[in-house]
Structures are given as C-alpha cells and as structure tokens.
Amino acid sequence: MEPQLDPMKDDLPLMANTSHMLVKHYVLDLDVDFKSQVIEGFIVLFLETGSRYRRASSTGEEGCQSQFDETCKIRASEQGHVPVSNASACSSKMEYNDFAVCGKGEKDTSDKNGNHSNEEQASGISSSKNCCDIENHGNEDFLLVLDCCDLSVLKVEEVDVAAVSGIEKFTRSAKLTDVSKELANLRNQIVHELVTLPSDRWKEQLYYYTCCSQAPGCGELLFATGTWSLEIRKSGIRTPADFPHAIRIQYKTKPEGRSVTWTTDQSGRPCVYTMGSPINNRALFPCQEPPIALSTWQASVRTAASFVVLMSGENSAEPVQLQEGIMSWYYYVTMPMPASTFTIAVGCWQEVKQSFTPAVQTNNEFSLPCSQADFRWHEESCGHVEYPCRFQSPAARLQRVIPYRVFAPWCLMKCCEEHLLQLIPQCLSAAYTTLGTHPFSRLDVLIVPSNFSSLGMASPHIIFLSQSVLPGGRHLCGTRLCHEIAHAWFGLAIGARDWTEEWISEGFATFLEDVFWARAQQQLSHDEEKAQQELKALLRWRRLRDEVQNSEEELQVLRPNKESTGEVSESGASIVKHGLKAEKIFMQVHYLKGYFLLRSLARRIGGASYLASLRKFVNKFHGQLVLSQDFLSMLLEDVPEQKESGLTVESIFTNWLDSSGIPKVLFLIEDPIDCRTAASSIAQKLKLHSYCCKMLNWLPEMKDFSGILLLSMSLKMSLASFLQSTLKSQIRKPLLEEGETWKESRLVQQVSGEVTKWIRTNQRIRKSGKKKRRQDEGTFQKLLPDQLVLLLEYLLEEKTLCPRTLQGLEKTYQLRDQDAEVRHRWCELVVKHKYVPAYGDVEKFLREDQAMGVYLYGELMVNEDAKQQELAYKCFAAAREQMDVSSAKVVAEMLF
C-alpha cells in the first residue's frame, strides 16, 4: 500500500486500488448461521483492468478461436483440474445447486415495466486444499487491494472460467486484445467479454456469471489481511492486466463485525441486518468501497426455513427449499452501484398485506408536469455506463407507483397496516409527479429492530424504517418515507463521487421530503402547503442553530476537502474525513445546511423552474457520480440571468459549502424573478425608477432595510428590483434574519398564541400554590404534529414549569400518544423540570426509540440529579448489549 496514506483515527480509509483494477460484478454464495452468529461462504469477483493500465491492441477472431482450441489441450494436462463437459456441470455437486436464471433458450420473465421476477440460483463452489502462503517475494508482484475488516479469510483462488461449457462464444469476438498462447490470458479475455456484454443480454450475462462462479479453481493465490484491507497477489504477476480477472474468496464474518448487527426483533426473534455502519460493507464481504467502483451483484443466501431474506435486488425473491429445514433465496442487480449500497436483512419478518388496493389520485392536477423538453431528455442516450436503464423504457416512464411490499415483526403488523401500507403508494406517486421515472423497479419496506440508529435508511430496492415512525398518526411516517424515497434519485441513482459531500444526498432528500409530502397529502391548498413548509423551515433552522453552537466547527463544513474534493491517490485509495467519528452519525448539519441552500436557490429561481431543473439534472446524471459543481453549474446555466446578480458556483462554495456555521448570507429577500417582472411593469407605468435612484443616496446610511417598509408596495418592489441589479452583495440577508420571518407564518403564530396561554396558565398555578384551580380545557387549540414540536421547544426555553402545568400539557395534547418527534421534546421537558411522574415516559423512549434517544442520556446526566442519573444508568445497562456500536460509544462517553 502507499506509505503516504496515514489516516487519522477518525478518518475512514478506502484502501482499494481502484485505479489499477475495478470489480465489475460480485457473486455471493452465503450461509447464515444464527447459532454462531456468522455468515460464511464464498464471493467471486469479476474484475477489469483499471483505465490507467488497459493495453490498447487488437486481434482477429480466428486467432482467438485457435487459442481456445489450443488451450483445451493444455487444460487436460493440468494437475488437479476437473474439466466441465456440459452446461449442467457448471453447478457443483452440492445438493442445493438448482439453477434457473434465464439464459439462452429460456423464457424472458421480466414484465413490460422492467420488473424482474425471481429466478432461483443457488451456486455451489468447488473446493480444494487450504493454502495461505504469504511468503515475501519482494515488491515486484502486483497487489490487488480490497477493503476488508473483521473478516476471517480462509482461501483465495483463481477461477478457471475457460472450463465452463459454452464459454467459447466469448473467444470469437474481434474485440479481444493482446492474445497470447497462455491460458491465463484467455481466462482474462473471457471475463472481459463477459463484463462488457450489451445490456440487452443481461440474462445471458447473469447465467454465465453463475456458471463461471461455480467453475473449478485453477491455483490458489497468496493473500494477507490487515486492519482495513485484504491484499492478494499471484507470484510472478507484475501488472494488473496479467492478474487473474476472476477470483474466488472463501471467508466468514465475525460476530463482532461492524457491518451487520445480530439482534432480536420486537417479537423476540433473532435477526441480522446491515444497519448503515460507518465502515459500510467491508465486514460483510471483501469489496471495493470507493464510490467510483460501481458494480453489479447477485447473491444466493441459505438459512433456516423460518427466516425471510430481504436484500437489494431487482427481483422479488421467492425461497426454494434445498433440503428439509433449509431455504435458499436469490437476488440480483443489473444497475452498477457502489458496494456500500448492498443491503441484507434476515429475520422472521412477516409480509404485511391488505385486502384492498388503495386508490391513488391520478387526475390532471396530480399528474407529472412534463414539457416537450422532458421527452427530449428521455429520447437522448443516457450518460452512464450501459445497463438495462428504466429511463429508456417507455413503460417504466409511465409507471407512477412501482410494486412494493412491507415486512415487519409479527407484533407490528397491525400498526403497519393502519398507516404505512396506505402511505407508500401516495408517496411513490408524489415522487413520480415531482421527478419522473422511478430509478428502481420495485420496493421493499422493512421495519427494523429497535436498536436501529436512525429513523430510516434507503438502499437499492429496499428501505429500512425505524419503529419510531409508526406511532402517532401519519405525519412522521409519511415524511420519513418521503425522505427515504427521495434517496432513490439523490443518493442512489445519483451518488456523490466524494463521500464527504454527503449533503448531495441528504440535503436533496430533506428538501424533496417537503415537496413529496405536500403532494402526497393531495388536498392541500397552496397557502396550506406554504404554511407547513415555513413551519418546517423554522424547526430546521432552530435545529441547525443549536447544532452549530454545540458541535466542532470542522464537522459543520459540507465540502471539507474543498478544492481537493473528488481527488484520490495514484492507486485510487483515499480517506473519508471524519468517517469514523462516532458522534458524526447523529449530526444533522449536512441535512440542514444542504436543505437551506436548496431552499434558497428554489426561492431565488422560482419553484416551478427549480423543480424543472431538478428533473433535467436527474435525466442527465442518473447512473453517475457527481460533485457539487456538477449540479450548481448546470443549474446556473439554465438560469443565466442569475449571473447578473453575482450568483456563481464560487460564491456558493464560499458562503455555503466550504465554511462552518450558519451561512452568512441568504441571497435576496424576495423571489427575484417574480419581483423583477412586477417591478419592471410598475416602474414603466408609475415612472418610479428615477425616484429609486435618488433614494440610493440615503439608503446606504440605514443600518437595515426596515425603512423600506414605510414605502408603498409598488415602490418597495421597484426598489428591490433596482437594488438587485445595482448593489448585488449589499442586499443579501443573513439566514438568522430569515429565521425571524418564518415566525410570521400563520401556523407559527398559532403556536405562539398557545405558548402565551401556557405561560399565563403556569403563572396562575404558581400564584395559587397548592390549591387546585379548575382550568378551562377548551381554551387550547388543536395543533399539528410539527406545531406541537415547536410548542414544546418554546416551552423548553421557560425557566420553570410547574408539575400541574406539565400534567395539563400531557393531558391536553395526549403527548404519550403522539409521534416520536413530539414525545422526544416531551421527554426533554420532563428531564429539565424533573417531573418524576413522567420518568416512565423517558424510560420507554430510551428503550423503544433508540434512533432518537441518544442525547437524552446527556440531559439526564447534566442536571446532576441522582434519580435522573440512576435512570440513565439503568436504561443504558438494559439496552447496551443490543445498541448500535456508535450509539453505545457516544452514550458511554456521556455516562462514564
């Protein structure tokens, strides 16, 4: 490895040398053993030489075929090699080797929407003696470096893909290069032809991937494991081009491995799942972690018959019984994705079904606002590597709601049926209305165990949701579902080329969450939608303000690598800055600052124009990796008039992405396009332009723009337009001041009125002492969930609240039955005011809502109250064993 790569202890190293070789496809063949808490089996990697090492030469078809004929003779003389003489022999002698992926001569089972039905494929692997020779042969041999940790690697071997029956078809192409008489070169050329098959031959490709993965080994490779990597070499091979392009690794996970968590679900049944670990999947299988290593995969997973296997896959897998008590599940993906997006969950999940199909509104008002330009984007060829793309499928482009399933532990099925099942089609339809074609052909939604460390996580074809989103009605469940659905476009179909730019994923998902949810509700008026979004903006601004005040400045920067963003070393290795910092997983700054940047751009450009630009960006960049400037440059090209006002990519970097804290400026106060259009008309009619110019003589002397409020509306608009083109940077508004304007929103004003009532009620109770006074319970208004959150946050700013006031709060709003966001603020009030009768609410929250309760431990400790500290120790002791590793570390630092 490169000696200069010396990451800090909280940086995540990406060790894979992707510039030398790239994994194009993974074939996993795994067994899940709950008794030992181990996943073991084999993984076959199909590799291509990296772009820096590809050799450019060509040879003819006849030469390729003559080489294949000649090597048949060579292979027969190789010791320990078992030739494969027919197609059926591509499976091993294991009992569970049934294979039924559509290949040559098989029926195409994909439907007209591009949804792939399940085709079971359980692969068996040939075995040979174990060898782990790690002799030092000097530095001349080429090393293939994979990201790997917490794994026991047992054997690595080259796969003899040339032994597969029918594989000779891949030796007849004129594209083969640098052909020699060596069998090793022939194997590499076969792999090259296989991984570069046209996308319309994906079924045939999967078939031969399987056959090749089951082919005999033809020589064990030397390997060594380090803290973060697996290094593989073949003695005498000095270049990536000559290194074996198909290798098989036998390995097993460790119970303490950090990529998966072994736990029990809410019904007490064992389960295991990938929980979005900071180290991604390198403790689940050896892989290439850098996002540039886009690959496809297929996996066969065997486990006891009582378990259900869910996975990132295009097909809705159905289990196949291999032997009594053992079932096999097979999934595949044909869209190249980073290995970090691979997701698996094995447990006693129950599918939640309903007896009726929910109606999804399809009237014109709720249909996709496509322009002629939208259709032109679809007609153009995609910019990504070739794969079966849904954006090129006419049927997929018209599919408003993709097929979906919901899984949950038995005890939560009823709760899922009440809200979640009905919300999914509404949210999917709203997403389609906003962005167009769904990037993925189907969706599974799983309610994961209570130790899940966030409210949700999106992966290709599957979303994990915390149980915390289920209680308290539709609101939290719907908004979180919208957030995770948005990741199908931003985070998955379009990924960040540099993982430190996670705002590209989270900022967009947070912004689109509001847009999707407003449309999913269907009956909202424009004013209602605006009021809800202003209320949400205020809540997020308060959260961002608090986080900026209580976190390290270095962690508040959205583009921490600045000008070096996206750069890697010569080998392709790099680090993710602060990628292993435990508290970073609980920070919201990338969500919130990213959201406010996008919201500001939308307000400046205009909502409709902005969403049209998002659709254009999706159509142009789906299936690709991007940097911040890719989006910003395209956006500013679409609205060139913004350059006149000084808005540039560089200014956005300076004010938003490359600095810590709350952005110093928020562009213009008004929507500039609407303002400019109106003001131009007014100026012509009322001849106010010259008067505005005169006013500039005294306006700079003002400390703020409050004087403008004294002018007529016509004059204000004209003046704002003139200032926009003349003063540019002088008329920008701090985000802190923008937060004040949201307080004028109707919904916020309603909350402020309720806060005033509660403060007066508290004062009356304090004055009356212990004497109970009958309160008029009808004086308080019914509030929306987000209004309740704001109400409780405002009340948290009060120095003291009497027990009777807190009791009245809980009774009035039924706080114990509200969603987790509301109950979290209620628990903060209980802790702050040491309201002992509600300590049970805090204990329940810490036990059942682990995704949100981490910082409550700190609040229990900071008061230095013996009862509260005892409660913190008690809850942590009960939850620690099952708690997410990062969560446990952060809580332990608070308590001990």
Side-chain angles (χ1 to χ4, degrees), residues 384-421:
H384 53 69
V385 296
E386 190 177 6
Y387 66 83
C389 179
R390 286 175 52 82
F391 286 79
Q392 293 297 319
S393 166
R397 294 204 300 266
L398 296 175
Q399 193 175 22
R400 178 181 295 275
V401 177
I402 56 176
Y404 61 92
R405 304 182 299 179
V406 175
F407 292 86
W410 178 84
C411 63
L412 294 177
M413 291 182 67
K414 183 177 180 181
C415 193
C416 290
E417 187 175 359
E418 288 176 354
H419 297 302
L420 181 56
L421 267 181

Side-chain angles (χ1 to χ4, degrees), residues 152 193 221 284 330 354 410 460 527 533 639 651 660 685 855:
S152 297
E193 286 293 286
L221 303 176
L284 177 58
Y330 169 70
Q354 56 192 10
W410 178 84
D527 289 342
Q533 293 184 0
V639 278
S651 67
S660 62
K685 293 180 179 179
Y855 288 112

Side-chain angles (χ1 to χ4, degrees), residues 12 14-16 18 22-23 147 280 282 288-295 336-341 491-492 494-501 566-568 572-576 623-627:
L12 174 67
L14 304 179
M15 307 292 281
T18 53
L22 277 174
V23 177
D147 293 295
N280 301 306
R282 65 182 70 187
Q288 290 183 330
E289 287 272 86
I292 195 173
L294 301 178
S295 60
M337 302 286 294
S340 59
T341 64
L492 296 174
I494 300 174
R497 196 191 314 169
D498 188 318
W499 275 347
T500 61
E501 287 199 304
E567 294 182 4
V568 297
S574 62
I575 61 171
V576 180
Q624 302 175 65
L625 302 172
V626 299
L627 298 174

Side-chain angles (χ1 to χ4, degrees), residues 514-562:
D514 293 352
V515 180
F516 290 2
W517 182 236
R519 293 181 172 180
Q521 295 175 80
Q522 300 181 18
Q523 303 302 321
L524 287 184
S525 67
H526 174 75
D527 289 342
E528 288 173 326
E529 177 182 341
K530 181 180 179 182
Q532 284 190 15
Q533 293 184 0
E534 287 179 341
L535 171 60
K536 200 75 172 181
L538 178 59
L539 288 170
R540 288 173 177 147
W541 173 79
R542 291 172 59 87
R543 198 170 306 163
L544 176 60
R545 179 197 62 187
D546 292 345
E547 185 158 298
V548 164
Q549 294 173 351
N550 296 287
S551 62
E552 300 175 29
E553 286 192 4
E554 198 171 12
L555 299 180
Q556 301 168 15
V557 181
L558 302 191
R559 205 173 71 118
N561 292 332
K562 297 183 171 61

